[in-house]
Every structure is written in C-alpha cells, then in structure tokens.
Amino acid sequence: MHDLIVNSRATSLSCRSWYTVSKTGLLILCLIAQLADAIDIRVGGEAGWTHTAQFQDVNAVVGDRLVFDWAGDQKNVVTLPKRSCDIVENGVQIAGPLDSPTAVSLNYSGTFFFSSSLNRQCAAGSLFAVSVTPKNETAEDTKKRHEEERGGSFQDLIRDGVGNCVEPSQDPSDSSLFTAVCYSPAMQLKPGQIEDAFYFLPNPYPEGNIVGVVKQTLGLVDGSSRQVPLSELYLHHIFGPSNLVVGEGAEFRGDNAEPPLAEPFHKVVNGSEFVSDMSRLVNIHVINTLGVAPEDVPRCIECWCTDAEHELKGKHGGGSCCSQCPSSALNTTINTYHLQFNVTYRVLEPSTTVKPVISYMMDAANGSIEYDVVQQPDKQTALLSLSGPMDARCPQTSSFGLVRCLGHQHIGGQCMRLINQDTGEELCSSCPSYGNSDSRERVGEESGYLVKMSQTVFDQPKQIQPGTNVTIESEYDPSENHFGVMALFFLDLMDFNTSCPGPVIATTGNAFWYMICYRHVIFLQ
C-alpha cells in the first residue's frame, strides 16, 4: 500500500491544459493559482501516482488539494461516481498522460473517486476514494477563498439555478413523439467579457420512462428569446452529457446539431438518469464581442496567450488564456443570455424496435484537445494526423457499427477525415461551411465564422473489426495564425461493448491518440 504525503505549504503545480480539465464538467478543478492555506496531499507518497501501486482512501477538508505525479509513467487521472472500475461507462478524465503533475483542488464537500483508465490499472488497485468534509469557515471566508482561487474574475465557477423546460409538446401526427424546449440558467456578461463556467441544466426527459432520442438542437438566445448571432456572443464550446445536450462549438446551433438517425437507431435514455443535479452539469464557454474592434476579434475568440502566458504554458492560444476582450461599448451594460436546447424523443414501449447507439468523441490532437496552427504563407493546408487501433483501450471481440461521423473545427478549419489505415478506405469526412452575411438578423450565416460542419450518416452501419487501425486527419488554413483550435470527431456507434471484453492490444511507436466518449474517456496507444 502506498502512503500519502501531506504538505502544509502549497506548491505551484500547473496543469498543462486547464481547458482539458475544466471542460469535463466536474466540481473538482485543477487550479494553477497558489493557495496559501491549502494542504497538499501527494497521492502515492514518494512514489507518486504509479501504475503498480494500490492506493488508500483519503480524508480531506474543503480547500485541500490532491497532487498526482506520474512523470515517466503511463498514467492518467479519471473520476468515477462510485467505487467501480466501469470506466468506459462512467469515467471522466481530468488529466491526460501528458498532464503530470496535476493538482486537483477539492472545493466542495462529498465523496469523490479517482482512478486511471490506462492498461486496466483500476482493477489492479489504482482506485481510491476521497472524503471531503466542510472547513470551519464563515461565509465571508468562503467568498474570499473563491475569489483568490479564481483570481476574482467570477463569483464562482458553478452558477446558481437549473434553468427550466417548457412542458413537452406532443407531435400531432405521432402520439409517441414529444419535444422539450429547455433553457439554461442566465449567463450575464458585459461587453468584452468571457464566461467559462458550469451550469446545471434542466432535465428534458420524463422521469421513469425509457425514451429514444430522435433529434437534438441548440441555440443562444437573449432575455427576450431573440436568437443571438456569433458576432455578438461567440460560443467557444459547450461540453456535457451527450444524451442531454449535444454540442461542442458554434457550428452546432440550430438544425446543424444532430438531425435524426435512420430508424431504428436511437440514443436510448432513461429519464431517471438525469434526476440528480450532478448528472446535468455542463460547461459553457461564451465570449461577448460587443464593441470589440474587428481586428481584435480573432485573438479574442481564439483566446490568444500573452507572451508571458506563452512562455509559461508553451502554447499560443486556448481556453486557459481567455481574458477580458477590449471593447468600446459601455462596460456597465449587462446582457443576459441563455443556452436553448431542444430534444425530440420517442417514448419506447416494450414492443418498440430500437437499435441503441452510444456517442464517442475522438481527438486528433493527441489528447491535448487544443493545438496551434502557426502561419505558413507558402502552404495551402496544415495537416495534423494521428493513427492507432480504434478499440485499443476498450478491446472488442466482435465487430461494431459506425452509424454517424460529425467533426468539430474552429475558424480556419478545412476538413476532417477518418481513414481505415489497414485498407486505405475513407470511412467518413466532415468539412466546414462559413457564413457570408454581415446582417445581425441572419443568425447562422455570420460572415467569416464557421457556422456548420457536414456529417456522414450511414443507413446501414459501416462494420469495424476489432483491432482496426484508423487515422484521424485534420486540415487547417495556414495562411494566417489560428491558435487554440480543435480537431474532434463525434461518432455514434452501435454494438460497441463498453465492458471491453477483448484482449489488451499491444501498440508501438508514436501512434498515441485517444478516444473519449462525451462522458467517458478511453486512451489508445
């Protein structure tokens, strides 16, 4: 058993990518800020977060930090809702193999479970619980601590309220179909302000019923329900349970999100899954660009790093560098916005024929989520590609079906492709469309913004054999700088066994990439 080392003086440990951590929608957050009164608990003692150890449970108080250090080891950090190694179904990554060391601040009381999703290390003993009890502090002390941890930028990462849903409407031509229209809690921003926070969304599904999701759409509206253009409020990303709200960025608004799959394929949801607030926690990152000069908009919405931040983080842009944008508008004006998401579902009866699909996301940026495209005027395309066995970290014993592919890129993106490396066949592609309208009334056609990604949908799923090697390709326009961009593929799969029944797949070379479900993480090496 490995002991824990407790230090009374906090050390300034930084996550390599704050955005990678924050976007998972967790109440425990990796913070770069140094906390003078924090207690550091080094997981694994001197040996650290190693893959050969078994770990003891931990007792902590609000404000303490867990320090995970696995330098040179194949390890990551995931959280689980219970003491179970069902990582594919329930695990959420908060730090990848490249993020050592990582400090996790325990800002809320409760019991949290941690493990690693690599090489079946959870079952080998890399699973422990942290019981966090409240600290004896006044409300003023709590407020002060939150301000210190967040640098005084926002009141708190988690916003109050859960929003609301309008009573679901029944389809007049099909009594089994219902559509719920739902709204997030209010997002209040001044001109030039960013908001990268967590929200409890309302539950659009009937509790106790099993439903098949037919269609999901989303949009941004103001307090009067006006659809808001990207030139006013830029949607950097939204990330949460895919069965609740679909989306990653600006191109997911309106009907571009996810049109219906061919019958009888559905995401199958039990409405009771979303009864607890924690199950509906979503990260939303928006940027108010009112009054921001056109020449400042790119660096504002791509979150360019300052020279000092670049020196510290080793990157030119991304979520961790987002800051107040320069705006000529009155900074006393507060605008209220909401995320609107609509879900159309079919109540499933025992006699209903349904083929369930699960949603996965694949990252071409080697698990970093974001990367930089540096200007290369002499080139027409900047290509990023990574390869590996598609089921390396959740090995299958039988074929599974690819039902839909949908990519996510930022401004400057040209196309994404998923290729069967063994046969050379292009399995699917997803390419962007850009808006060409300067009218604030033409929402979804904003000039210069990426407003849509094409998708590939198969009426008959494309069969993928266990161990199939695939390559993800992402192309960007390098005629100018594009920092903090993404290259993500959203997949709907059927007959994919999340218990990972197959043998461990040996891999070599630098073909390290990963596949992450909207709520789950599986690394491929």
Side-chain angles (χ1 to χ4, degrees):
M1 304 289 284
H2 275 241
D3 297 326
L4 298 167
I5 292 181
V6 180
N7 298 323
S8 60
R9 181 179 63 84
T11 54
S12 183
L13 294 170
S14 65
C15 289
R16 289 189 55 167
S17 174
W18 180 90
Y19 176 83
T20 302
V21 176
S22 70
K23 73 179 296 195
T24 57
L26 299 173
L27 285 172
I28 43 180
L29 307 166
C30 180
L31 299 170
I32 295 176
Q34 191 170 357
L35 308 181
D37 60 345
I39 301 298
D40 278 2
I41 303 173
R42 180 178 169 87
V43 179
E46 291 287 356
W49 183 232
T50 59
H51 74 280
T52 58
Q54 293 188 343
F55 295 86
Q56 298 174 332
D57 289 349
V58 177
N59 292 318
V61 298
V62 170
D64 289 350
R65 302 195 307 180
L66 297 180
V67 178
F68 294 86
D69 190 345
W70 62 97
D73 204 351
Q74 275 297 309
K75 202 84 170 183
N76 67 341
V77 183
V78 301
T79 65
L80 293 155
K82 57 186 177 180
R83 195 186 296 274
S84 167
C85 288
D86 191 5
I87 291 177
V88 176
E89 280 296 324
N90 297 301
V92 180
Q93 177 188 257
I94 61 171
L98 305 180
D99 290 331
S100 178
T102 286
V104 178
S105 284
L106 303 170
N107 292 334
Y108 297 85
S109 60
T111 301
F112 305 94
F113 299 90
F114 295 85
S115 186
S116 170
S117 68
L118 300 186
N119 301 319
R120 299 179 178 174
Q121 293 167 6
C122 181
S126 294
L127 173 64
F128 69 96
V130 181
S131 297
V132 185
T133 56
K135 183 188 294 185
N136 294 326
E137 61 182 7
T138 65
E140 188 61 30
D141 290 336
T142 302
K143 179 180 179 181
K144 181 179 179 181
R145 175 168 56 81
H146 285 177
E147 289 175 350
E148 289 173 350
E149 293 168 358
R150 302 291 322 287
S153 299
F154 306 114
Q155 295 178 355
D156 196 356
L157 260 173
I158 300 176
R159 297 298 184 251
D160 294 331
V162 295
N164 68 286
C165 291
V166 178
E167 185 71 22
S169 60
Q170 190 173 35
D171 190 304
S173 60
D174 187 343
S175 60
S176 68
L177 278 181
F178 294 85
T179 296
V181 179
C182 304
Y183 299 89
S184 72
M187 299 180 287
Q188 296 184 324
L189 293 91
K190 297 178 181 180
Q193 185 179 351
I194 69 165
E195 174 80 324
D196 187 1
F198 297 91
Y199 297 85
F200 294 116
L201 298 186
N203 183 4
Y205 302 112
E207 295 181 17
N209 287 91
I210 308 296
V211 304
V213 178
V214 174
K215 186 177 181 180
Q216 293 171 281
T217 64
L218 60 82
L220 292 169
V221 298
D222 64 11
S224 65
S225 297
R226 173 183 66 96
Q227 291 288 327
V228 179
L230 294 175
S231 53
E232 175 179 338
L233 188 70
Y234 182 72
L235 178 59
H236 187 280
H237 72 261
I238 174 174
F239 197 85
S242 61
N243 288 340
L244 180 67
V245 57
V246 63
E248 177 62 29
E251 76 279 7
F252 283 84
R253 297 169 305 153
D255 289 339
N256 299 339
E258 281 195 348
L261 292 171
E263 292 286 352
F265 301 110
H266 292 282
K267 296 177 185 176
V268 177
V269 180
N270 184 333
S272 298
E273 293 178 11
F274 294 109
V275 171
S276 69
D277 287 345
M278 277 297 296
S279 66
R280 293 178 276 103
L281 189 64
V282 172
N283 176 222
I284 304 175
H285 184 177
V286 290
I287 304 171
N288 187 332
T289 58
L290 287 173
V292 178
E295 61 270 19
D296 291 328
V297 168
R299 66 175 57 244
C300 175
I301 63 177
E302 290 183 351
C303 300
W304 286 21
C305 300
T306 64
D307 290 342
E309 289 171 329
H310 171 59
E311 184 69 23
L312 174 66
K313 304 173 188 294
K315 59 182 183 179
H316 294 285
S320 63
C321 289
C322 263
S323 59
Q324 181 80 16
C325 301
S327 173
S328 61
L330 291 175
N331 62 10
T332 56
T333 302
I334 297 179
N335 300 282
T336 299
Y337 303 101
H338 299 267
L339 176 76
Q340 177 185 331
F341 63 103
N342 305 338
V343 181
T344 299
Y345 58 85
R346 184 186 306 279
V347 177
L348 301 181
E349 304 296 338
S351 59
T352 307
T353 300
V354 170
K355 293 184 178 180
V357 300
I358 56 174
S359 298
Y360 271 79
M361 184 182 81
M362 297 164 48
D363 178 27
N366 199 22
S368 298
I369 305 296
E370 298 173 322
Y371 69 102
D372 296 326
V373 176
V374 179
Q375 185 178 30
Q376 303 175 75
D378 58 330
K379 291 187 176 182
Q380 294 183 337
T381 294
L383 174 66
L384 177 70
S385 65
L386 285 169
S387 304
M390 192 163 180
D391 61 335
R393 290 304 172 191
C394 188
Q396 303 294 293
T397 55
S398 59
S399 65
F400 52 95
L402 178 61
V403 180
R404 170 165 47 196
C405 303
L406 177 61
H408 168 67
Q409 292 184 309
H410 286 193
I411 293 174
Q414 294 176 327
C415 207
M416 292 191 66
R417 297 178 181 85
L418 181 64
I419 300 169
N420 184 326
Q421 189 179 352
D422 298 331
T423 64
E425 176 191 7
E426 181 178 297
L427 298 173
C428 55
S429 64
S430 183
C431 303
S433 298
Y434 290 86
N436 55 14
S437 174
D438 292 322
S439 171
R440 292 172 59 85
E441 306 302 320
R442 304 290 292 273
V443 175
E445 302 177 32
E446 297 90 338
S447 180
Y449 288 88
L450 193 157
V451 296
K452 183 179 181 179
M453 294 288 293
S454 65
Q455 61 181 309
T456 303
V457 180
F458 301 98
D459 290 336
Q460 295 298 321
K462 185 172 288 291
Q463 293 301 303
I464 308 294
Q465 297 301 318
T468 296
N469 291 295
V470 295
T471 297
I472 312 173
E473 292 186 348
S474 173
E475 296 176 343
Y476 269 84
D477 177 8
S479 62
E480 56 187 37
N481 290 323
H482 294 289
F483 297 150
V485 302
M486 297 183 187
L488 306 174
F489 245 134
F490 297 85
L491 306 181
D492 285 333
L493 305 176
M494 66 167 290
D495 295 333
F496 191 86
N497 189 338
T498 56
S499 67
C500 311
V504 174
I505 300 174
T507 58
T508 59
N510 60 0
F512 180 84
W513 62 299
Y514 83 136
M515 179 167 59
I516 170 175
C517 179
Y518 287 49
R519 284 197 275 176
H520 327 312
V521 177
I522 309 171
F523 274 87
L524 306 181
Q525 181 179 332

